[in-house]
Amino acid sequence: MGNREVNLTKRVKIAQGLRYYPAVLSANGRVKPDSVLVDGKEIRCPDGAYYIEWRENGKRIRLSVGKNPQDAAVRRLRKEAELAAVSNGVSVVPDTGHTKRRTLTAAAVEFLEETKLTKKPKTLAAYTTALRYFQESCQKPFLEEIERKDLLMFTAFLRDEKDQSP
């Protein structure tokens, strides 16, 4: 029997830096949006991303599950079910978390929100400009459709349209 427990945490920026804190669950078992437990006290943290964590062979595994608290709770329950099935000898195809396609715009927004938590404003501004230029050059709506050729076309776009050479 393996360990089947999966914790839901939220990575937030505090005075001491980025930290993982347990997500707060309400009486009905749902995740309280924007709330974490710090030293046993509930505090409000609107920024940050949710993570699930579990142990495999004694090693802690953490996986980002996005910013939506309900989606994060569902991913935690799926992972618990997966671990329970594996410990009972059932072979399982792991959930990749991408059952639906993500738009390029949504992926860029999510990336920039997470980058804002960890990088300096100047870096964030550079990433924002680069992603805006990429979206301008790439006409594919979904992240999963982007190929190497699109990146090569982006470098040509930067060189020809934006007068930026590598």
Side-chain angles (χ1 to χ4, degrees), residues 38-91:
V38 178
D39 298 327
K41 295 180 180 151
E42 183 179 326
I43 65 165
R44 183 164 157 50
C45 292
D47 293 330
Y50 290 94
Y51 286 75
I52 56 174
E53 61 180 32
W54 67 96
R55 294 202 174 269
E56 286 182 10
N57 302 321
K59 184 179 177 188
R60 179 172 49 201
I61 309 291
R62 274 196 180 123
L63 176 68
S64 175
V65 289
K67 295 183 168 289
N68 184 302
Q70 283 71 36
D71 291 347
V74 167
R75 294 284 299 276
R76 180 182 70 87
L77 293 174
R78 279 188 189 151
K79 189 65 183 178
E80 280 182 349
E82 176 188 324
L83 294 174
V86 168
S87 72
N88 289 321
V90 177
S91 63

Side-chain angles (χ1 to χ4, degrees), residues 95-160:
D95 176 26
T96 61
H98 298 293
T99 54
K100 55 187 174 198
R101 298 189 305 180
R102 293 178 18 187
T103 65
L104 183 56
T105 304
V109 167
E110 184 178 336
F111 173 78
L112 291 173
E113 286 174 349
E114 289 184 9
T115 300
K116 185 178 182 181
L117 295 172
T118 60
K119 303 292 182 191
K120 293 180 181 176
K122 193 172 182 178
T123 304
L124 178 64
Y127 286 3
T128 302
T129 301
L131 284 170
R132 187 176 62 247
Y133 286 171
F134 182 74
Q135 288 175 302
E136 200 176 313
S137 76
C138 181
Q139 300 306 312
K140 294 184 178 176
F142 296 106
L143 185 63
E144 293 79 9
E145 295 175 348
I146 295 172
E147 302 169 338
R148 181 176 185 273
K149 184 178 179 184
D150 297 309
L151 298 176
L152 294 172
M153 290 171 56
F154 176 53
T155 58
F157 172 83
L158 289 175
R159 180 191 65 227
D160 302 338

